[in-house]
Amino acid sequence: PPLTIPEDEITEAVTRLDAAASSLSASYCLLGLKYSSGVRGQTALGSLQVENPMTHFLDINQIAPTDLQGIIDNAITMKTARLDRPRGAVDDTQPLKDHMVALIFEKPSTRTRISFDVGVRQMGGQTMVLSGTDMQLGHGETIADTARVLSRYVDLIMIRTFEEQTLLDMAEYATVPVINGLTNRTHPCQIMADIMTFEEHNGPIKGKKVVWSGDGNNVFASFAHAAKQFDFELIFTGPPPLDPEPALAEFFAIERDPSIAVQGADLIVT
């Protein structure tokens, strides 16, 4: 039988995720700037500590679990500090002051664009929003050339694109941090926001049962990566034509009957 979710619950969930996304955008920027050898200038970065110094945020499975949890915890702290503050007001610490962040949207976006733009501005930084039509991304010049040029002018790059290879090439040739805003294969920022929202209201996600009902798409792929890194059980329920890619099989189990799959679930994603 189909799963039915009240409209008011959906609206509330979207509102929570939007708030989480903005806080996480800022936290990603902070983490990337702190641990990149390419960053220019000094930045006040608070108490965030990481296990393995890193330059880019490309996929959840490439980041140490303690570092991922640090991003979540830091984002919650930053969000709490902004309570009752006007949305246009900057943070007290302004960790991105005097830094320029390029936001590249080869693929259109609403929430990713708004959350990153607002997050960077609230941290005292400046944004340069670029679309695929604004630049010769992989057409008039190579991704490598674009990455090198951008690195001369900005301190951080977020890219939302179609092909995963575009992201990988950008990260390989840029000398500043690169954040994956979405590719056809993964969407790590969305899942980090989902986990942050869950932990704000329900405590640690470790050991919990998460059920995904629907298409085994790029968002599910990042959920699968998160299942291992955050140590929770992930169940996929859906017809075989919607199955996730085989490479992810070790991260989740399959239950075809949704009524059975959701039994005992702590979180249902659909």
Side-chain angles (χ1 to χ4, degrees), residues 25-26 29-30 33 40 42-44 78 82 87-103 115-129 153-156:
S25 298
C29 294
L30 184 149
L33 283 169
R40 306 166 181 78
Q42 299 297 316
T43 309
M78 296 170 71
R82 290 199 59 84
R87 294 188 177 108
V90 297
D91 294 344
D92 292 333
T93 57
Q94 296 188 54
L96 290 184
K97 183 180 179 181
D98 300 328
H99 289 87
M100 178 66 70
V101 180
L103 306 177
S115 64
F116 268 98
D117 199 347
V118 171
V120 171
R121 291 168 187 253
Q122 289 177 344
M123 294 182 72
Q126 299 183 59
T127 59
M128 178 185 299
V129 181
Y153 294 97
V154 305
D155 301 292
L156 181 73

Side-chain angles (χ1 to χ4, degrees), residues 223-235:
F223 243 123
H225 291 158
K228 180 177 181 180
Q229 301 301 81
F230 285 92
D231 193 19
F232 60 82
E233 178 187 8
L234 179 63
I235 306 296

Side-chain angles (χ1 to χ4, degrees), residues 100-141:
M100 178 66 70
V101 180
L103 306 177
I104 302 173
F105 293 93
E106 185 181 25
K107 193 170 187 176
S109 166
T110 299
R111 290 175 180 81
T112 302
R113 172 168 179 168
I114 293 171
S115 64
F116 268 98
D117 199 347
V118 171
V120 171
R121 291 168 187 253
Q122 289 177 344
M123 294 182 72
Q126 299 183 59
T127 59
M128 178 185 299
V129 181
L130 302 164
S131 69
T133 58
D134 292 330
M135 53 200 308
Q136 303 180 76
L137 194 62
H139 301 294
E141 59 185 39

Side-chain angles (χ1 to χ4, degrees), residues 6-248:
E7 185 175 352
D8 60 336
E9 292 186 15
I10 295 175
T11 301
E12 180 182 2
V14 170
T15 301
R16 291 176 178 176
L17 283 173
D18 286 347
S22 181
S23 296
L24 279 165
S25 298
S27 190
Y28 295 143
C29 294
L30 184 149
L31 188 63
L33 283 169
K34 183 171 185 181
Y35 295 100
S36 168
S37 58
V39 66
R40 306 166 181 78
Q42 299 297 316
T43 309
L45 294 159
S47 59
L48 182 61
Q49 302 294 322
V50 300
E51 178 180 317
N52 301 310
M54 61 183 237
T55 299
H56 307 301
F57 188 91
L58 304 183
D59 273 316
I60 290 173
N61 63 329
Q62 297 180 17
I63 311 299
T66 53
D67 298 345
L68 292 169
Q69 191 62 56
I71 293 175
I72 299 290
D73 295 342
N74 188 64
I76 291 174
T77 298
M78 296 170 71
K79 178 181 175 182
T80 301
R82 290 199 59 84
L83 290 177
D84 300 322
R85 181 176 297 227
R87 294 188 177 108
V90 297
D91 294 344
D92 292 333
T93 57
Q94 296 188 54
L96 290 184
K97 183 180 179 181
D98 300 328
H99 289 87
M100 178 66 70
V101 180
L103 306 177
I104 302 173
F105 293 93
E106 185 181 25
K107 193 170 187 176
S109 166
T110 299
R111 290 175 180 81
T112 302
R113 172 168 179 168
I114 293 171
S115 64
F116 268 98
D117 199 347
V118 171
V120 171
R121 291 168 187 253
Q122 289 177 344
M123 294 182 72
Q126 299 183 59
T127 59
M128 178 185 299
V129 181
L130 302 164
S131 69
T133 58
D134 292 330
M135 53 200 308
Q136 303 180 76
L137 194 62
H139 301 294
E141 59 185 39
T142 65
I143 302 299
D145 287 339
T146 300
R148 294 187 185 103
V149 171
L150 282 170
S151 298
R152 298 189 189 111
Y153 294 97
V154 305
D155 301 292
L156 181 73
I157 299 169
M158 189 288 298
I159 181 168
R160 180 182 173 96
T161 187
F162 293 93
E163 299 303 322
E164 182 180 45
Q165 193 59 50
T166 300
L167 168 74
L168 298 178
D169 288 347
M170 185 69 71
E172 179 179 356
Y173 293 102
T175 58
V176 298
V178 175
I179 295 172
N180 177 4
L182 174 141
T183 69
N184 285 346
R185 186 166 185 270
T186 60
H187 195 2
C189 295
Q190 175 66 59
I191 301 319
M192 291 292 284
D194 288 352
I195 292 173
M196 174 180 167
T197 300
F198 180 90
E199 294 202 339
E200 281 185 295
H201 297 275
N202 301 281
I205 199 169
K206 180 177 180 178
K208 296 298 195 295
K209 179 180 178 180
V210 177
V211 177
W212 175 281
S213 176
D215 187 359
N217 55 20
N218 55 348
V219 182
F220 177 84
S222 287
F223 243 123
H225 291 158
K228 180 177 181 180
Q229 301 301 81
F230 285 92
D231 193 19
F232 60 82
E233 178 187 8
L234 179 63
I235 306 296
F236 172 85
T237 184
L242 299 182
D243 278 356
E245 60 177 281
L248 299 171

